[in-house]
Amino acid sequence: MNTFFRGIILLLFLVPQTVLSDESGRIDNMQRVASGIRTDRGLPVQELDEGCCQIAQRWADYLARNNRFHHGGGEQIIARGYVNAQSAFSAWMRSPGHRRWVLSRNGLCGWGCQKNSRGILYWVGVFRKGIDKVIEQEVAPKRFYLVIEPWCRWCPVSKQRATSAGIEFTEISISEGIKLGLLKRRVTIPRLIHSSDTANPLVGAHNTATYRKFAKKYSQ
């Protein structure tokens, strides 16, 4: 076999291995940085969990593929545009909400990272308690959905009150709600929806007690 064809065959074997190496290398770096942060503060190192990593990687893939940037619900942190794991964690540690998850008591963690078509890196962390079963879903891991848009001034208030009411929800846009079949058309927002009763959503930034009552309605 001549040298030219041997070179082509060699490249066919090397390219996929390089891609896999980059992905696993970033996850290893994320675990190393996270473990260092916790060790420095006298906290036990979280176990790198395969299920959590799968969820985190799928969400990173989704964000990068669609050029989106929003949380997928649950115990999750995200970052975008940082060139390495160290800079992503530095940003998370400067944010009280993200810092809380990095230093949480949850025993399991998982990491994901993906690059979009413009070369921008998306970083994702997922956390679970050691006794919890990891439920693998790509886009909608919770039954409650909060329909919001960046331009809505009431959405941050609604998010805060729904969280205070103990509701675990997935943030979606109006277009995502329509795509998932939760909405039939463009609607007034913010709007809290339960997947089993999309005809009766809770609209507006109500107080925490109202959100608790709404959640209790679907917990029985």
Side-chain angles (χ1 to χ4, degrees):
M1 184 183 298
N2 64 42
T3 304
F4 175 76
F5 286 106
R6 281 201 300 269
I8 292 177
I9 293 173
L10 181 61
L11 284 174
L12 289 175
F13 281 99
L14 284 179
V15 170
Q17 293 173 357
T18 301
V19 172
L20 290 175
S21 177
D22 287 346
E23 182 180 300
S24 60
R26 293 191 189 106
I27 292 175
D28 290 342
N29 285 337
M30 293 178 79
Q31 178 67 2
R32 176 181 55 79
V33 175
S35 298
I37 290 172
R38 294 179 64 88
T39 300
D40 290 345
R41 289 161 176 77
L43 298 173
V45 173
Q46 292 171 320
E47 178 184 346
L48 189 63
D49 178 73
E50 181 179 356
C52 288
C53 284
Q54 290 175 355
I55 294 174
Q57 187 59 52
R58 281 204 300 270
W59 192 251
D61 293 343
Y62 166 79
L63 295 177
R65 182 174 64 251
N66 296 281
N67 291 315
R68 300 301 302 267
F69 189 63
H70 58 89
H71 290 90
E75 301 172 357
Q76 180 195 84
I77 55 178
I78 60 175
R80 176 178 62 184
Y82 298 98
V83 297
N84 54 44
Q86 184 64 60
S87 58
F89 274 93
S90 294
W92 281 331
M93 292 301 288
R94 290 193 298 269
S95 166
H98 294 83
R99 177 189 177 96
R100 178 167 63 90
W101 289 119
V102 176
L103 303 180
S104 70
R105 295 182 179 180
N106 291 343
L108 303 179
C109 67
W111 313 106
C113 182
Q114 187 55 268
K115 185 184 296 184
N116 72 2
S117 58
R118 294 180 295 170
I120 298 174
L121 288 170
Y122 289 76
W123 306 85
V124 178
V126 170
F127 307 91
R128 294 288 186 271
K129 295 179 181 178
I131 60 174
D132 284 356
K133 180 181 179 181
V134 176
I135 301 175
E136 300 180 4
Q137 291 186 356
E138 181 175 345
V139 177
K142 302 297 178 184
R143 293 183 300 165
F144 286 96
Y145 304 85
L146 185 62
V147 184
I148 62 175
E149 296 286 355
W151 44 261
C152 174
R153 66 189 182 95
W154 287 110
C155 285
V157 177
S158 186
K159 286 173 58 176
Q160 180 181 6
R161 291 176 178 172
T163 301
S164 297
I167 300 174
E168 295 184 340
F169 56 84
T170 297
E171 297 177 23
I172 57 173
S173 65
I174 293 175
S175 60
E176 287 172 328
I178 294 173
K179 184 178 179 181
L180 291 171
L182 300 171
L183 304 173
K184 294 183 178 180
R185 56 181 174 79
R186 299 189 68 83
V187 295
T188 303
I189 56 172
R191 176 173 291 227
L192 188 64
I193 298 174
H194 190 273
S195 58
S196 67
D197 189 9
T198 59
N200 295 289
L202 187 65
V203 182
H206 295 282
N207 58 38
T208 303
T210 303
Y211 278 111
R212 285 202 186 100
K213 184 177 179 180
F214 183 81
K216 185 177 179 179
K217 174 183 176 181
Y218 298 103
S219 64
Q220 299 174 345

